[in-house]
Amino acid sequence: MTTDSPDILLILTDQHRLSAVGAYGPTPCQTPHIDRLAAEGVRFQTAYTTCPVCSPARGSVLTGLYPHSHGICSNAHNLGSSVHEAPDSPDLLSRRLQDRGYACGYTGKWHLGNGQSEAFSARTDPALPSTRGFQGQDFPGHGGGGFNYPDYRAYLETGGFMHEVKPWSESVRQVLPTGELIGPTESTVPHFLADHTISLINRLSTQGSPYFVWHNFWGPHGPYFSPTEFVDLYRDIEIPPWPNYDWPSRETPGPHHVKIHPDQESLTWDEWATAIRYYYAFTTLIDRQIGRIVEHLRQSDRLDRTIIIFAADHGETAGSHGGLTDKGWQHFEEIQRIPCIVRFPDGRFAGQVREGLVSLADLYPTILDLAGGQSPDRIHGRSLLPLIDEPSTSWRDHLVVEFSGVNNLSATLRTLVKGDLKYGFSAGHDDQLYDLASDPYELVNVATEPSRREQLEDARQMLSDWMADHHDPVRGIFNRTRLP
């Protein structure tokens, strides 16, 4: 560590699709504080999660590995996950940063273990932030929005607040878990979390060492709850249908059937649009709290020594592709693409965009690189600093997203992205191939078109080679079923 080692703040949102980030293109969703980070930093145009499920993706941030290597292949304590409590290791991001003299702080959603010593009758080493090198909050499990943890309940009581959702009063059906909160913004979980990070920064900044703070929101993952102030922003805002909303989800075979809304055939777009308004309201509430944290850094003279990274674990369907819900079970951009922004304190690269393919696994080596540390040889991510410094640097020309199931159901999906081509392997189902240049909303699977045969075979071989390089155990069955 040197005396000029920067402080590092990682802000991670949960289930945040790109249509809910203004910096990524025209949208009704208002995110002025995230947009300002993009205007003052570097925005990565084509960033992808490692897995469109919460625990596996977060495990990639902590380890720099794909889920098939770190073992949290589904949500922790779900059937389908090989590991249920994130194992401690000198190679965890927090442990490596501690070796560099960093104090590590944690706020919000964890979802890398329940803090339990047993899972499916096997002994485990309980994993919580405090047992994995962090100071701060310990919230075991998923948290379901964070509403029922004792710390939040105590915060409500101290402030004289309540967490209560108004009865549904919209003129349409309630398509997804949505609602209007009775209390003020100060009563919400995002505000509570921002308060904690502000106080954590204050405490860590007095310890005489640089700090890394990982701030995790429970949103805009559902349920989409916001105070009236934010719901009102969208009441009269038109929400245009997703360009792929009319995709024939029922008539198209594939694992996505698990996530088709059960009432899709009777739902109208107005009903979906109402749910999306609540999703956007929740996002704007979160954006406001990001602004509070950044403004605190500015007012406390810490912003000029803090590198801020903003990203999400994965995206959200919200009715796209014929009424799909949640995440997982398909190869589509709305769940795989994520926002990714890096803001430097000295204004370097402000407002610039990088087009190279970026993986969520890249956050681990990037953060270590920023801290002056080194990553283990075996990790899967790459530091983004060379790409930031020089857009024309030699960079990966393809990447992979994996999925092994969620909600106690299992599946095997691998998605390969190279340039404008996306190849999707789903075990037990036909292959998918999309030309993202001519079909950005992935409406037409061209895998069976004769003119695409060579591209399909090349993509299969490239995925097999990637599996070999990354020691993906799926490679054996993939090769037997997809290669000559």
Side-chain angles (χ1 to χ4, degrees):
M1 182 190 74
T2 64
T3 55
D4 60 352
S5 296
D7 297 325
I8 303 170
L9 171 63
L10 170 61
I11 300 173
L12 197 72
T13 50
D14 186 3
Q15 207 150 313
H16 197 163
R17 58 181 287 149
L18 289 188
S19 75
V21 185
Y24 278 86
T27 173
C29 191
Q30 301 175 35
T31 54
H33 300 288
I34 297 171
D35 299 347
R36 182 173 179 180
L37 290 178
E40 297 176 352
V42 183
R43 179 172 64 83
F44 297 91
Q45 180 65 21
T46 49
Y48 285 81
T49 185
T50 53
C51 174
V53 179
C54 303
S55 296
R58 291 161 189 275
S60 293
V61 177
L62 190 63
T63 66
L65 299 169
Y66 271 78
H68 70 262
S69 287
H70 65 61
I72 306 176
C73 302
S74 182
N75 278 337
H77 293 269
N78 269 205
L79 294 174
S81 186
S82 301
V83 172
H84 300 283
E85 302 282 318
D88 203 356
S89 162
D91 288 337
L92 293 185
L93 178 60
S94 50
R95 300 303 188 192
R96 286 266 172 165
L97 287 169
Q98 285 178 324
D99 289 344
R100 291 291 306 159
Y102 273 73
C104 295
Y106 202 92
T107 292
K109 180 175 177 176
W110 174 240
H111 212 186
L112 290 171
N114 292 348
Q116 297 177 358
S117 58
E118 183 175 298
F120 296 97
S121 301
R123 299 292 296 174
T124 60
D125 177 18
L128 292 170
S130 63
T131 68
R132 298 299 183 264
F134 293 98
Q135 306 174 46
Q137 292 175 328
D138 272 343
F139 293 137
H142 176 282
F147 310 125
N148 295 313
Y149 285 115
D151 287 8
Y152 175 59
R153 288 292 164 179
Y155 167 83
L156 292 177
E157 184 174 355
T158 299
F161 302 127
M162 68 174 102
H163 176 80
E164 186 174 346
V165 183
K166 293 181 180 181
W168 186 252
S169 61
E170 300 283 358
S171 61
V172 298
R173 281 178 292 179
Q174 191 173 17
V175 174
L176 297 172
T178 51
E180 183 176 343
L181 294 172
I182 289 176
T185 300
E186 291 77 13
S187 70
T188 64
V189 170
H191 193 281
F192 160 69
L193 296 179
D195 271 5
H196 180 267
T197 286
I198 288 169
S199 112
L200 190 59
I201 288 170
N202 289 343
R203 176 157 54 89
L204 295 179
S205 64
T206 66
Q207 295 183 4
S209 61
Y211 61 75
F212 166 70
V213 171
W214 185 358
H215 177 103
N216 298 265
F217 287 105
W218 269 286
H221 188 298
Y224 314 142
F225 294 158
S226 299
T228 302
E229 172 189 0
F230 295 92
V231 176
D232 281 350
L233 290 173
Y234 296 95
R235 287 197 194 276
D236 300 319
I237 297 296
E238 181 180 359
I239 307 295
W242 305 126
N244 51 29
Y245 177 68
D246 290 328
W247 184 72
S249 55
R250 292 278 187 210
E251 292 76 17
T252 305
H256 67 272
H257 279 249
V258 173
K259 289 294 182 175
I260 300 173
H261 194 289
D263 298 324
Q264 176 57 17
E265 282 69 26
S266 67
L267 291 177
T268 66
W269 175 251
D270 283 346
E271 289 170 311
W272 276 110
T274 298
I276 293 164
R277 289 187 184 97
Y278 282 89
Y279 178 73
Y280 286 166
F282 190 18
T283 304
T284 302
L285 166 63
I286 289 169
D287 179 79
R288 174 84 61 83
Q289 306 317 308
I290 292 172
R292 287 183 61 222
I293 296 169
V294 175
E295 183 59 24
H296 175 74
L297 290 170
R298 183 176 288 108
Q299 293 296 326
S300 60
D301 295 325
R302 304 294 301 181
L303 190 60
D304 62 357
R305 60 162 296 130
T306 303
I307 296 171
I308 301 174
I309 302 173
F310 171 77
D313 57 357
H314 54 78
E316 159 72 85
T317 49
S320 56
H321 271 100
L324 298 184
T325 63
D326 204 25
K327 70 274 185 175
W329 305 99
Q330 24 99 351
H331 302 279
F332 299 134
E333 296 278 274
E334 48 261 35
I335 65 167
Q336 294 182 340
R337 287 273 298 280
I338 57 172
C340 184
I341 297 164
V342 178
R343 180 196 184 276
F344 292 92
D346 59 4
R348 280 179 294 157
F349 313 110
Q352 296 188 22
V353 177
R354 297 292 180 266
E355 300 287 347
L357 288 169
V358 167
S359 169
L360 187 65
D362 296 336
L363 293 188
Y364 174 105
T366 300
I367 291 167
L368 284 179
D369 203 357
L370 290 168
Q374 290 187 328
S375 299
D377 292 337
R378 67 186 187 90
I379 67 162
H380 296 148
R382 296 177 60 178
S383 171
L384 297 174
L385 296 194
L387 181 61
I388 292 173
D389 288 336
E390 180 47 65
S392 63
T393 192
S394 177
W395 194 251
R396 66 167 69 93
D397 67 354
H398 63 282
L399 58 66
V400 169
V401 178
E402 65 179 64
F403 175 76
S404 298
V406 69
N407 305 129
N408 293 303
L409 299 175
S410 295
T412 300
L413 278 68
R414 298 291 185 269
T415 309
L416 181 136
V417 181
K418 182 182 181 184
D420 293 325
L421 197 71
K422 177 185 279 191
Y423 166 70
F425 164 72
S426 305
H429 297 275
D430 292 338
D431 282 351
Q432 296 176 40
L433 192 69
Y434 299 99
D435 185 334
L436 299 178
S438 62
D439 180 26
Y441 302 109
E442 299 162 299
L443 291 164
V444 181
N445 177 12
V446 298
T448 59
E449 294 184 6
S451 63
R452 300 283 186 167
R453 184 67 190 180
E454 183 176 352
Q455 288 181 319
L456 177 65
E457 291 177 352
D458 287 348
R460 286 170 170 170
Q461 185 60 58
M462 187 174 294
L463 179 56
S464 176
D465 293 343
W466 183 94
M467 289 175 166
D469 292 341
H470 292 75
H471 306 288
D472 187 342
V474 172
R475 184 172 184 255
I477 191 67
F478 175 81
N479 284 355
R480 287 195 294 275
T481 59
R482 293 301 191 271
L483 297 187

